[in-house]
Amino acid sequence: MTALAAQIKSLRPDVLLCVDHEGGRVQRFRSDGFTHLPPMRTLGEWWMRDALRATDAATAVGHVLAAELRACGVDLSFAPVLDLDHGASR
């Protein structure tokens, strides 16, 4: 990913490289040193048991996600700001 991002930026330095990468089944990069991130639903479940620990965990997940993407040249992730869990997707 890093080499591809660098090649794209060498051709178009103004382009924003974006990905929908948030953890769980929506974790686009799963190899090459990327940390396995929990599904956002898991953070919500943790919140229901211990809000302070869940907040700390969500902050840590966000830092890891951003640092890893930034390190390989991705400018923006479409990770959720707010997801509402109304059961299974259809």
Side-chain angles (χ1 to χ4, degrees):
M1 178 61 212
T2 305
L4 177 59
Q7 185 177 15
I8 292 168
K9 292 281 187 168
S10 74
L11 298 172
R12 288 284 310 270
D14 60 323
V15 74
L16 286 177
L17 296 179
C18 307
V19 64
D20 187 13
H21 178 89
E22 62 192 60
R25 67 182 176 89
V26 188
Q27 183 163 343
R28 304 303 176 207
F29 305 117
R30 296 174 183 264
S31 61
D32 297 329
F34 280 89
T35 303
H36 172 76
L37 301 173
M40 295 298 111
R41 170 184 276 180
T42 300
L43 295 175
E45 291 167 355
W46 293 348
W47 174 269
M48 298 306 289
R49 292 194 304 264
D50 186 337
L52 184 58
R53 286 185 67 200
T55 299
D56 290 345
T59 300
V61 167
H63 283 290
V64 168
L65 184 151
E68 290 179 351
L69 291 178
R70 192 71 201 121
C72 62
V74 175
D75 298 302
L76 178 70
S77 174
F78 297 114
V81 174
L82 173 68
D83 270 358
L84 298 177
D85 187 355
H86 292 291
S89 298
R90 296 181 189 167

